[in-house]
Amino acid sequence: MNKICAFFATLTLAAYAEPLPVIEVEGQPLSANARRIVQALDFLGVPLAENVRAKLNAAIAKRDAAGVQAALDAQVLCVVDISPESRVKAQRGPAAARVQQGGYTPVLIKVINHATSVAHLQFSSPQAGPSYAGVAKGTMERERQTHLRENENTQGADRFLEVSLYEAPPMTANLSGLEVEYAIALLYSSEAGKRETTLVFDIGQGTQDLGFRAEVPVLFDVRPAVTVKLDVKDFDGTPTTARLTFTDAQGHVFPPQARRLAPDFFFQKHLYRASGGSVLLPPGEFTMEASRGPEYHTVKTKVSIPLAKEMTLPVKLERWMNAADLGYYSGDHHIHAAGCAHYTSPSEGMRPEHMFQQVKGEGLNVGCVLAWGYCFDYQRQFFGPQVDRFSEPLTQMKYDMEVSGFGSAALGHVCLLNLRELVYPGADGIKGWPTWTLPALRWTKQQGGYTGYPHSGSGMQVNASVAAKRLLDLYDAGKDARLTAVEAQAALLPESYEKIDADHDGGLNEAELVNSHERVLDTLPNVAIPDAGGHEIFVTTAHGVCDFISAMDTARLLEWNTWYHLMNCGFPLKAAGETDFPCMSGTRVGQGRTYVKLGKIDSIDFTKWCEGLAKGSSYVSDGYAHALDFTVAGQSSGDEVRLAQPGRVEVKVKTAFGSETPLEIAYGGASPVAGARLTGDTVNYHDATTAQPYAGGKRKIELVVNGLPVAVREVLADDQVHELVFNVDIPRSSWVAVRQFPQMHTNPVNVIVADQPIRASRRSAQWCLACIEQLWRVREKNIAPAERDAARRAYEEAKEIYRRIASEAEQGT
């Protein structure tokens, strides 16, 4: 008997002297049920006491139904009685009400089933349920954690209990229909001491007996958990902060997510602790997983927690990559401390000390915590022109702003970084901001800030049927439900006219246009026009006030497609990696990150890191993929090469991929197809949910020129650095980058030939122009009437810029 069992063996002590009723029933099925009870309790690590087990086994061998009940009834915490009319009542059983703080205690439930129902027995308590309120339904659906959301936004002030029926094999989810059987309930308490709870049973809505007879008040004696102090050492032996996950043999996560309060987040299975911190755990055996972000291995250790008041647990971290050794420092520019999945009060959220341990615990060098509409009034107190006071030399955290949930967000959200002032001139907090994004970005640039659009795949989706109908509505002058060659000249088609005209009848019908869109939607780049027109990035980039487009937290095809087209027009737009934590993802910060090259330094300058992000001396990745020291003709990302005439350039890069890349929610949602075409106009990709993107432990590295792959190499995902060399001909001014879809992309090196600007694709300029027009059609109404004329002028100026760029690009590109 292990440490936990020694305590729970006392469950056999009677709480009530009166024996439970013995129900007449056939012995074989009840014996089978009892045998499964024994197996389940053994699996849960809390076997029956030897004397009880011997008595029960003897009854099972004889198929003695009365003997089975006599052996088990003393262990029963509650008796559930289901009437012939399926009304449920419950009462207290004879077992002592003792549970372990911080651990799942199995208890027996005796079910007397006069209705011989095969329904699902349900078990609840008003003292159970999440200890938080206000989580957004859409956020939990996006993060696939709807089980963590309550139907009511109520604060769980008196919620310290977790209750559930154990339904995994060998137990079953539904009742068997036998007149009597036994079930196992699991009880968890986050508090110690004497705690009264009410346990409630039913078999469906409306089945509870009248007069609260399905409710059983129970006074529990909750034994205190063990205070486990953590001695966390980094790879070099220095104290640090780690990401830790504790699970038992049944897969239970400790502490349970629904019981988490600050500094822990209920929507994360793991927790973060600095060296010297502690966690409450029950006595027993656990698996501890320790890491500190994607540059670290996940170290799994079996740990034994003794029956004691406290203990110290050593945690030693292991790195496989340290990008800082080569002068690269990672950051996530889009983190939230309130709203979306944050709890207690979504309009307030978490304090800086809690957010800092998330940033440091993921090995980020920079974390930008952004106030936004639903938390602004509370979170604004933490804003300052400098980094937060909890920052450390190599872990910087600054509070800034996302325009979201108010004002300019109607035309797209924007991240505003390195702000000196948080509130737009003339505004009252978040009230009174412009209703389009260009003025907010201009104001940010005036104060030395940096600007970019977050979750950039949002709003860029294309429905093939909707897009086909839109082309007919706009360009079918003859109103004959088809586009002639003359009519199509004014339209930007997803493919050539000849390819779309599958039946060769000299016209494009709706079905042909739908099929064409469906063919190109999984290609990169493509010119299918987004239904919502995207966001104002096409306008603000043309006006020179947008520094970056965010990547790594929405569909990669949509993110990179937009970025490619804008770079093909010659704009110096850079990519920056983000998480939008915990709105797009609550798993952890830094799932998307920017690695900025600053050189070997002892302390990070936040402003210089932002400058590097805006300049593009960086790459974006999920942290498990790296592209270090990327150069073209000796020039690094964000720089340019000048050639007097077309010529060949040498491209170098050091790549490294983690051997244990986790596949979680597919943010980005696509992976390379084996044997994808590397010639022609496009490379096809498809949904990662049906692919095996990391089969064989290899990664496909593509050299990209003007959005098209021109060479490919394969490297092993083996925690090692692999140096690659490419040679590529540059016939005209172009941008050159390296990517591994969907994990990593370098920012480009521009190669300028004969002093000519980059005009890589006429269709790219036409696509940006078409996106502006569609955005105006769909969202003009969101701009306040008093601002609409100024917005219209700015839009027209941007459209004229794209028309000029299109005219300067080569015919047919």
Side-chain angles (χ1 to χ4, degrees):
M1 187 177 295
N2 63 25
K3 306 177 189 72
I4 300 179
C5 300
F7 172 66
F8 292 118
T10 58
L11 287 174
T12 58
L13 298 176
Y16 293 79
E18 184 178 344
L20 299 183
V22 176
I23 308 300
E24 290 188 15
V25 67
E26 289 192 59
Q28 190 278 332
L30 182 59
S31 296
N33 169 246
R35 188 176 291 111
R36 289 186 287 109
I37 290 288
V38 172
Q39 293 170 344
L41 290 174
D42 286 347
F43 179 73
L44 291 168
V46 189
L48 292 168
E50 289 299 331
N51 62 327
V52 177
R53 193 184 192 100
K55 184 178 178 181
L56 180 61
N57 285 339
I60 290 173
K62 297 177 183 178
R63 295 186 176 180
D64 179 2
V68 168
Q69 294 176 71
L72 288 179
D73 280 356
Q75 325 300 318
V76 170
L77 181 73
C78 292
V79 181
V80 176
D81 189 296
I82 305 172
S83 74
E85 298 78 27
S86 295
R87 287 287 181 181
V88 178
K89 62 181 179 181
Q91 65 181 27
R92 182 75 165 81
R98 295 180 178 175
V99 299
Q100 169 69 58
Q101 179 192 19
Y104 290 90
T105 304
V107 297
L108 285 189
I109 308 296
K110 185 174 185 177
V111 182
I112 301 173
N113 191 354
H114 299 292
T116 63
S117 172
V118 293
H120 181 211
L121 180 63
Q122 300 182 52
F123 180 33
S124 62
S125 171
Q127 284 74 45
S131 299
Y132 53 88
V135 60
K137 178 182 179 182
T139 299
M140 291 293 94
E141 289 174 343
R142 180 165 54 244
E143 297 179 11
R144 303 178 193 174
Q145 299 202 86
T146 52
H147 61 287
L148 295 175
R149 180 180 181 269
E150 280 238 298
N151 291 326
E152 299 179 4
N153 288 337
T154 56
Q155 176 67 24
D158 194 36
R159 293 177 180 171
F160 55 87
L161 197 66
E162 280 289 293
V163 299
S164 64
L165 287 168
Y166 185 70
E167 298 172 347
M171 305 308 293
T172 60
N174 286 18
L175 297 170
S176 68
L178 195 64
E179 290 87 345
V180 63
E181 63 184 290
Y182 295 86
I184 298 175
L186 297 177
L187 303 177
Y188 176 101
S189 176
S190 60
E191 299 179 2
K194 299 288 187 181
R195 293 294 184 273
E196 179 173 311
T197 68
T198 300
L199 305 181
V200 184
F201 298 89
D202 65 77
I203 56 171
Q205 187 173 3
T207 62
Q208 294 180 358
D209 207 351
L210 302 177
F212 306 101
R213 287 190 288 181
E215 301 180 4
V216 183
V218 181
L219 179 63
F220 283 104
D221 180 8
V222 186
R223 181 186 179 94
V226 181
T227 300
V228 180
K229 294 184 178 180
L230 300 158
D231 179 19
V232 183
K233 293 294 192 297
D234 210 340
F235 71 102
D236 58 0
T238 59
T240 191
T241 300
R243 180 213 311 155
L244 302 166
T245 306
F246 294 93
T247 54
D248 65 10
Q250 291 75 50
H252 293 130
V253 177
F254 293 82
Q257 288 177 253
R259 298 269 63 79
R260 304 278 179 91
L261 290 173
D264 304 325
F265 298 166
F266 79 94
F267 47 84
Q268 295 174 326
K269 289 184 177 180
H270 54 268
L271 48 83
Y272 296 94
R273 289 292 183 273
S275 190
S278 64
V279 60
L280 290 177
L281 294 175
E285 307 296 324
F286 298 90
T287 297
M288 178 182 70
E289 298 181 21
S291 184
R292 193 175 167 240
E295 294 184 36
Y296 287 74
H297 287 299
T298 299
V299 180
K300 294 185 179 182
T301 308
K302 296 293 184 181
V303 297
S304 179
I305 307 301
L307 190 61
K309 184 177 181 180
E310 65 178 46
M311 66 166 291
T312 298
L313 183 63
V315 180
K316 185 67 169 68
L317 301 175
E318 297 178 6
R319 268 190 185 271
W320 70 270
M321 162 61 63
N322 192 358
D325 285 344
L326 283 84
Y328 288 85
Y329 297 86
S330 65
D332 183 345
H333 71 262
H334 192 171
I335 301 169
H336 294 302
C340 290
H342 282 297
Y343 54 97
T344 305
S345 173
S347 62
E348 295 182 1
M350 310 305 288
R351 296 186 59 81
E353 56 267 35
H354 305 143
M355 298 309 301
F356 182 76
Q357 72 174 13
Q358 297 265 329
V359 173
K360 186 173 181 179
E362 286 301 324
L364 284 167
N365 302 113
V366 172
C368 302
V369 182
L370 308 183
W372 63 301
Y374 299 107
C375 61
F376 183 83
D377 288 339
Y378 182 82
Q379 290 286 320
R380 68 184 297 179
Q381 67 181 299
F382 307 124
F383 169 78
Q386 306 298 325
V387 296
D388 187 80
R389 64 188 178 89
F390 287 99
S391 295
E392 298 175 357
L394 292 177
T395 307
Q396 302 274 294
M397 184 175 75
K398 187 179 185 302
Y399 277 73
D400 274 314
M401 166 72 81
E402 180 192 6
V403 180
S404 172
F406 70 96
S408 308
L411 278 299
H413 299 179
V414 286
C415 293
L416 309 179
L417 309 181
N418 201 43
L419 295 176
R420 299 294 178 261
E421 299 291 337
L422 191 63
V423 178
Y424 189 83
D428 178 13
I430 58 174
K431 298 177 181 179
W433 283 60
T435 55
W436 54 308
T437 68
L438 181 60
L441 270 63
R442 281 175 168 162
W443 165 71
T444 301
K445 300 303 294 181
Q446 289 169 0
Q447 58 174 305
Y450 298 91
T451 65
Y453 290 78
H455 40 76
S456 57
S458 300
M460 301 304 300
Q461 294 83 0
V462 180
N463 181 293
S465 180
V466 171
K469 287 184 173 68
R470 184 168 61 246
L471 283 175
L472 289 171
D473 290 342
L474 291 173
Y475 301 107
D476 177 20
K479 301 303 178 185
D480 56 356
R482 61 201 297 270
L483 294 182
T484 66
V486 173
E487 290 170 336
Q489 288 179 358
L492 180 62
L493 300 177
E495 298 175 302
S496 68
Y497 189 92
E498 293 73 21
K499 188 171 184 178
I500 300 174
D501 186 16
D503 59 10
H504 306 293
D505 68 345
L508 308 183
N509 59 43
E510 184 175 328
E512 290 172 329
L513 289 168
V514 170
N515 291 337
S516 176
H517 278 90
E518 289 179 342
R519 284 193 296 270
V520 305
L521 288 180
D522 63 350
T523 63
L524 182 65
N526 69 74
V527 292
I529 308 302
D531 300 334
H535 32 72
E536 263 185 7
I537 191 169
F538 307 105
V539 177
T540 56
T541 299
H543 282 277
V545 293
C546 181
D547 295 306
F548 61 87
I549 182 171
S550 300
M552 310 306 293
D553 66 336
T554 49
R556 209 71 73 246
L557 281 166
L558 302 181
E559 296 171 350
W560 293 2
N561 194 57
T562 301
W563 184 36
Y564 284 8
H565 285 308
L566 286 164
M567 288 194 294
N568 281 349
C569 293
F571 293 117
L573 187 70
K574 308 307 178 186
E578 68 169 19
T579 304
D580 192 2
F581 174 93
C583 297
M584 286 296 176
S585 168
T587 303
R588 55 184 181 268
V589 301
Q591 283 181 275
R593 49 181 67 196
T594 308
Y595 283 86
V596 176
K597 190 169 187 178
L598 298 175
K600 293 292 291 182
I601 55 177
D602 296 323
S603 179
I604 291 172
D605 182 310
F606 178 81
T607 299
K608 289 184 177 178
W609 187 88
C610 289
E611 288 174 356
L613 181 151
K615 179 186 175 185
S617 53
S618 60
Y619 60 93
V620 297
S621 87
D622 60 5
Y624 296 94
H626 298 271
L628 306 153
D629 290 344
F630 168 65
T631 61
V632 178
Q635 298 300 308
S636 302
S637 292
D639 294 331
E640 68 177 22
V641 174
R642 291 199 166 261
L643 301 178
Q645 59 188 8
R648 172 163 286 217
V649 295
E650 183 181 65
V651 179
K652 294 182 178 180
V653 65
K654 297 174 182 176
T655 65
F657 294 88
S659 59
E660 55 184 56
T661 305
L663 296 181
E664 296 172 336
I665 299 173
Y667 304 109
S671 62
V673 176
R677 293 199 315 272
L678 293 177
T679 59
D681 293 333
T682 57
V683 174
N684 289 304
Y685 297 91
H686 68 130
D687 192 343
T689 58
T690 59
Q692 297 295 325
Y694 308 119
K698 292 183 178 180
R699 304 291 188 271
K700 182 181 292 184
I701 310 299
E702 295 172 310
L703 178 65
V704 180
V705 178
N706 297 334
L708 299 176
V710 296
V712 64
R713 301 281 192 278
E714 282 191 343
V715 301
L716 290 173
D718 57 2
D719 303 334
Q720 303 298 314
V721 174
H722 299 267
E723 296 192 32
L724 304 179
V725 178
F726 301 87
N727 286 281
V728 61
D729 292 321
I730 304 296
R732 65 183 189 277
S733 293
S734 303
W735 60 268
V736 180
V738 164
R739 75 183 180 201
Q740 188 276 320
F741 194 99
Q743 286 185 265
M744 174 272 291
H745 207 302
T746 69
N747 272 295
V749 173
N750 290 344
V751 181
I752 306 301
V753 179
D755 294 328
Q756 295 301 304
I758 295 175
R759 297 291 183 261
S761 169
R762 176 171 294 189
R763 282 166 64 82
S764 287
Q766 292 170 335
W767 182 80
C768 294
L769 173 61
C771 286
I772 294 176
E773 292 174 337
Q774 178 63 8
L775 180 67
W776 187 262
R777 279 191 290 266
V778 173
R779 301 201 214 179
E780 173 200 1
K781 61 182 180 295
N782 296 330
I783 303 175
E787 302 172 59
R788 207 166 289 164
D789 285 343
R792 183 181 289 107
R793 288 193 298 271
Y795 273 54
E796 289 300 326
E797 291 170 7
K799 287 161 62 176
E800 189 56 37
I801 291 171
Y802 288 109
R803 292 189 186 100
R804 174 177 54 78
I805 291 172
S807 69
E808 294 171 353
E810 292 183 14
Q811 186 72 29
T813 59

